[in-house]
Amino acid sequence: MRKILSVDDDLMILECFKQLLGDKGYHICTTSNPMDVPMLLAQEQPDLIMLDVHMPQKDGISLFEELKKHDRILPVLFVTAYQGVFDVSSERMLKMWQDYFGDGNVDILYKPFKVENLYEKIEMLIGPADA
């Protein structure tokens, strides 16, 4: 069974992911505190991490950059309502696109989204739940 770690400060979103992805057969663990991610990565060893971008303790982009320094191949799906955040006009974002977005292990899903799009992106990144 494929494992997914979802990090979002919105508890309703996390509950929706638990239900939607659990129904598809994925094992999903969640946290609303991005500071818990290193511990959860070690404990759960997920196949995918889903990151919100705007969170109070640490933003998803900073967390992503830290994760990729230690594990370049861990697939990441950003789930965000802020489409402009990935604009490559900033040097930081351009470097992130150049370094990480071309390897097939990173994708973005913009809120609001269709459930089918969530499933498609996850399957593209890690395959079906029973793979």
Side-chain angles (χ1 to χ4, degrees):
M1 176 185 299
R2 298 286 190 167
K3 290 184 184 180
I4 299 172
L5 170 59
S6 183
V7 186
D8 198 307
D9 60 326
D10 186 329
L11 296 177
M12 283 184 52
I13 294 271
L14 293 176
E15 284 303 314
C16 285
F17 286 153
K18 277 185 184 178
Q19 181 70 44
L20 292 170
L21 298 173
D23 287 350
K24 279 295 242 190
Y26 293 97
H27 171 79
I28 182 155
C29 58
T30 63
T31 183
S32 60
N33 183 352
M35 306 311 277
D36 292 341
V37 168
M39 174 198 57
L40 288 170
L41 285 173
Q43 281 179 347
E44 298 292 331
Q45 299 179 348
D47 299 294
L48 170 72
I49 184 167
M50 295 171 48
L51 290 176
D52 185 19
V53 172
H54 291 286
M55 296 179 281
Q57 298 96 333
K58 180 181 277 194
D59 70 84
I61 292 172
S62 296
L63 185 56
F64 170 83
E65 290 172 325
E66 290 173 17
L67 291 171
K68 286 297 184 176
K69 286 179 187 173
H70 302 289
D71 187 348
R72 186 164 177 90
I73 63 170
L74 177 67
V76 175
L77 178 61
F78 285 103
V79 183
T80 183
Y82 301 97
Q83 293 189 18
V85 76
F86 293 102
D87 180 5
V88 294
S89 62
S90 78
E91 190 173 313
R92 176 185 183 199
M93 196 55 59
L94 179 60
K95 180 163 177 36
M96 207 170 89
W97 275 92
Q98 290 170 335
D99 290 349
Y100 303 114
F101 279 69
D103 65 7
N105 285 328
V106 181
D107 207 341
I108 305 164
L109 182 64
Y110 293 106
K111 300 173 192 173
F113 54 83
K114 293 182 179 179
V115 174
E116 299 82 32
N117 292 350
L118 172 67
Y119 296 148
E120 286 173 9
K121 291 204 179 261
I122 290 173
E123 286 193 13
M124 284 180 11
L125 287 165
I126 61 170
D130 57 1

